[in-house]
């Protein structure tokens, strides 16, 4: 009789252990399964994407979307942007929406930060976007000297910023007699040289263009002797 009771106790203990194993929380089972199969269940930002490629002109509205994997429970998102002027702006905070729209009001580099959290983790990632001027702009026209003499060589340096597409500039010099001389045709080169032969005031006109827009600006220099 004693042995029979002992046998029942052993069987009951084995059944209890089996029931405890079966009753293991689902999350723990998932973690063990993931570990055995070398699959991460941690929250991750799998991809951050924009609906447009950059650069885009200032004033353009873009949509940023975030795709997450892993983790537990529902995701919540916070979207922040560092503007070209160095300031920060919160676009949306603790939202369940995996995308957000934003208008690029300034020219320059934007850094968009996406922060995602679930029931346990918080992850962040950053993506860059560039906003170009709405029109090609000539930033500066510089001469290598402040005054010139006859037979001096004038070096003209142009700095410009494109809007969309490849930047090209052209340089035309008008002599004191009114004659126009093209010293550089449209190209990506920034500098050109011109040898002056007469005294007087010379007018330099810079033409700039990109894929879609164009502009021009003029600047004078003098030859005194």
């Amino acid at each position: 009789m004693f042995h029979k009771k002992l046998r029942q106790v052993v069987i009951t203990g084995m059944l209890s252990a089996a029931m405890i194993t079966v009753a293991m929380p689902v999350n723990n089972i998932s973690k063990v399964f993931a570990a055995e199969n070398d699959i991460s269940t941690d929250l991750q930002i799998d991809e951050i994407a924009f609906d447009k490629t950059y650069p885009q002109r200032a004033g353009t509205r873009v949509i940023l979307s975030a795709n997450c994997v892993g983790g537990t429970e529902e995701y919540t998102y916070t979207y922040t942007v560092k503007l070209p002027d160095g300031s920060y702006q919160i676009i949306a905070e603790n939202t369940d929406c995996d995308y957000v729209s934003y208008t690029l009001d300034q020219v320059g580099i934007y850094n968009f930060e996406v922060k995602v959290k679930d029931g346990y983790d918080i992850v962040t990632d950053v993506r860059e976007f560039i906003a170009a001027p709405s029109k090609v702009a000539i930033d500066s026209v510089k001469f290598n000297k402040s005054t010139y003499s006859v037979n001096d060589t004038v070096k003209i340096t142009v700095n410009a910023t494109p809007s969309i597409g490849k930047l090209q500039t052209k340089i035309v010099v008008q002599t004191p007699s009114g004659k126009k001389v093209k010293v550089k045709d449209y190209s990506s080169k920034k500098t050109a040289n011109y040898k002056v032969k007469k005294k007087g005031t010379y007018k330099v006109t810079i033409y700039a263009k990109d894929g879609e827009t164009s502009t021009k600006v003029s600047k004078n220099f003098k030859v005194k002797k």
Side-chain angles (χ1 to χ4, degrees):
M1 181 66 71
F2 174 76
H3 293 292
K4 186 176 182 180
K5 288 183 178 181
L6 180 60
R7 184 180 179 186
Q8 289 177 342
V9 171
V10 172
I11 292 173
T12 301
M14 292 173 65
L15 288 174
S16 298
M19 291 176 66
I20 290 172
T21 302
V22 173
M24 181 185 293
V26 175
N27 287 343
N28 289 341
I29 293 175
S30 300
K31 290 179 179 178
V32 170
F33 179 80
E36 290 177 350
N37 290 274
D38 195 27
I39 300 173
S40 174
T41 59
D42 293 338
L43 173 62
Q44 298 178 53
I45 299 176
D46 184 48
E47 182 183 22
I48 296 175
F50 295 93
D51 67 327
K52 298 178 177 69
T53 58
Y54 68 78
Q56 292 288 329
R57 293 180 185 174
T60 301
R61 193 171 188 83
V62 297
I63 297 176
L64 178 153
S65 59
N67 182 56
C68 296
V69 295
T72 59
E73 302 182 9
E74 295 182 354
Y75 307 141
T76 58
Y77 303 82
T78 295
Y79 302 92
T80 306
V81 60
K82 182 181 179 183
L83 304 176
D85 63 10
S87 62
Y88 288 83
Q89 180 182 351
I90 296 176
I91 306 171
E93 189 171 16
N94 294 327
T95 175
D96 61 358
C97 192
D98 61 359
Y99 69 91
V100 67
S101 62
Y102 188 80
T103 300
L104 308 166
D105 292 325
Q106 299 180 17
V107 173
I109 299 174
Y110 291 75
N111 286 286
F112 290 89
E113 180 189 76
V114 180
K115 180 187 293 184
V116 186
K117 60 182 179 180
D118 62 3
Y120 298 96
D121 297 321
I122 298 176
V123 293
T124 61
D125 204 352
V126 177
R127 288 293 184 276
E128 181 182 277
F129 203 95
I130 298 174
S134 58
K135 182 180 180 180
V136 61
I138 298 174
D139 303 316
S140 66
V141 179
K142 296 180 180 180
F143 302 121
N144 59 328
K145 295 170 65 175
S146 58
T147 59
Y148 295 93
S149 300
V150 174
N151 293 323
D152 279 350
T153 297
V154 181
K155 182 177 181 180
I156 307 164
T157 302
V158 179
N159 288 298
T161 303
S163 171
I164 300 295
K166 183 179 179 180
L167 172 69
Q168 294 188 334
T169 59
K170 179 175 75 171
I171 301 175
V172 175
V173 174
Q174 182 175 312
T175 67
S177 62
K179 182 181 178 180
K180 293 183 178 180
V181 180
K182 182 169 63 178
V183 298
K184 186 179 86 71
D185 204 351
Y186 278 112
S187 73
S188 59
K189 188 178 178 181
K190 293 184 176 182
T191 62
N193 295 324
Y194 178 74
K195 187 174 182 178
V196 293
K197 299 178 181 180
K198 296 180 180 181
K199 293 190 295 184
T201 300
Y202 290 73
K203 180 181 177 181
V204 179
T205 302
I206 311 298
Y207 300 84
K209 67 179 182 179
D210 58 17
E212 299 179 7
T213 64
S214 62
T215 190
K216 67 177 182 178
V217 68
S218 296
K219 191 172 182 179
N220 296 339
F221 68 86
K222 289 184 178 182
V223 178
K224 295 186 176 181
K225 60 180 179 177

